[in-house]
């Protein structure tokens, strides 16, 4: 019997695809691509800053639902559709991880994202408590 558990976030998830937002196995949490969709209605906002804000908020909520916290994030991959978005990402990154001596590893790439998305975040977290 597996102790793997799927974690989803209605409205901001992967729609009808059979892919959860994240998966927790023991004390490890691995995410799929977390978007900047508004979980209240599933829409992508028109303003890029709001999309970035929602993406970081969605990450925090997925982590919470997995029984962990943003302090447990060990690594994050940031996918953006345009290099100019990196400055916004940095602002929200510092808000989520304010201590420069305790930030996760991060890699940012610029690439075309599906469905007109401008940002997607992926993370690995090591929860302090086992589920």
């Amino acid at each position: 019997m597996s102790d793997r558990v799927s974690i989803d976030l209605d409205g901001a998830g992967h729609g009808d695809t059979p892919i959860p937002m994240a998966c927790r196995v023991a004390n490890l949490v691995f995410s799929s691509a977390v978007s900047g969709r508004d979980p209240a209605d599933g829409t992508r906002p028109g303003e890029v800053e709001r999309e970035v804000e929602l993406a970081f908020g969605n990450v925090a909520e997925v982590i919470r639902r997995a029984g962990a916290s943003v302090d447990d994030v060990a690594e994050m991959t940031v996918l953006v559709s345009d290099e100019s978005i990196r400055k916004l990402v940095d602002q929200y990154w510092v808000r989520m991880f304010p201590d420069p001596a305790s930030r996760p590893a991060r890699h940012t790439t610029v690439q075309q994202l599906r469905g007109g998305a401008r940002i997607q975040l992926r993370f690995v977290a090591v929860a302090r408590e086992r589920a």
Side-chain angles (χ1 to χ4, degrees):
M1 182 170 193
S2 173
D3 63 350
R4 180 177 58 216
V5 177
S6 296
I7 294 98
D8 273 307
L9 182 57
D10 293 339
H14 299 292
D16 293 335
T17 64
I19 302 167
M21 291 296 292
C23 171
R24 180 171 175 154
V25 179
N27 67 327
L28 299 175
V29 184
F30 302 89
S31 80
S32 300
V34 178
S35 74
R37 288 187 180 279
D38 189 333
D41 61 13
T43 61
R44 182 171 291 107
E47 293 182 3
V48 68
E49 183 169 359
R50 178 69 176 140
E51 188 172 343
V52 171
E53 177 185 31
L54 284 167
F56 276 89
N58 291 342
V59 162
E61 180 60 17
V62 168
I63 290 170
R64 186 193 68 75
R65 289 182 183 205
S69 82
V70 295
D71 292 335
D72 298 322
V73 175
E75 186 272 336
M76 187 177 286
T77 301
V78 179
L79 308 171
V80 293
S81 63
D82 186 275
E83 182 68 31
S84 66
I85 298 170
R86 188 184 289 253
K87 289 179 184 179
L88 289 171
V89 168
D90 288 345
Q91 291 173 21
Y92 285 92
W93 176 261
V94 170
R95 287 182 198 172
M96 183 172 275
F97 308 109
D99 182 357
S102 178
R103 288 187 179 132
R106 178 178 131 187
H107 180 70
T108 303
T109 63
V110 178
Q111 64 187 60
Q112 183 177 351
L113 301 173
R114 282 199 272 185
R118 293 169 286 196
I119 184 170
Q120 293 180 338
L121 304 173
R122 293 180 55 216
F123 67 85
V124 176
V126 181
R128 297 167 203 273
E129 301 286 329
R130 283 184 61 102

